[in-house]
């Protein structure tokens, strides 16, 4: 992914993470609270098989849609 798209994606991860943080359910595995940014990054890696930094530019729209889905359906 080029640098411009990487920065654009990271900004979306940060803004979505801020909105998602209070919506994440508590977990016994995270006694100090869950990290919404890590939650989004891990979900991207699980869905696309790569770190968000390593996804190709042509998949950017799909990643954006996935991030919006995470906000709609927090778990």
């Amino acid at each position: 992914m080029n640098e411009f798209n990487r920065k654009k994606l990271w900004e979306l991860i940060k803004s979505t993470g801020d909105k998602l943080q209070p919506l994440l359910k508590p977990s016994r595995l995270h006694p100090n609270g869950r990290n919404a940014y890590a939650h989004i990054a891990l979900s991207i890696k699980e869905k696309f098989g790569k770190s968000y930094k390593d996804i190709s530019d042509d998949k950017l729209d799909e990643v954006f849609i996935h991030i919006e889905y995470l906000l709609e359906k927090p778990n």
Side-chain angles (χ1 to χ4, degrees):
M1 181 177 300
N2 68 47
E3 189 66 25
F4 177 79
N5 286 342
R6 187 176 301 136
K7 286 181 180 180
K8 187 175 170 182
L9 179 55
W10 179 244
E11 287 302 318
L12 180 63
I13 290 172
K14 286 186 347 185
S15 65
T16 304
D18 290 342
K19 296 172 193 170
L20 186 62
Q21 186 65 49
L23 303 175
L24 290 176
K25 295 177 183 174
S27 168
R28 64 178 175 77
L29 300 175
H30 303 283
N32 294 327
R34 294 175 64 188
N35 180 328
Y37 313 109
H39 176 76
I40 294 169
L42 181 60
S43 181
I44 290 170
K45 189 170 187 173
E46 288 174 350
K47 179 164 178 70
F48 295 93
K50 299 178 182 180
S51 166
Y52 75 91
K53 297 175 188 177
D54 298 326
I55 295 173
S56 64
D57 290 314
D58 63 321
K59 299 269 187 198
L60 192 60
D61 288 338
E62 289 179 52
V63 177
F64 282 8
I65 291 168
H66 180 67
I67 291 172
E68 289 301 319
Y69 171 79
L70 292 174
L71 188 56
E72 292 171 12
K73 306 281 185 185
N75 58 1

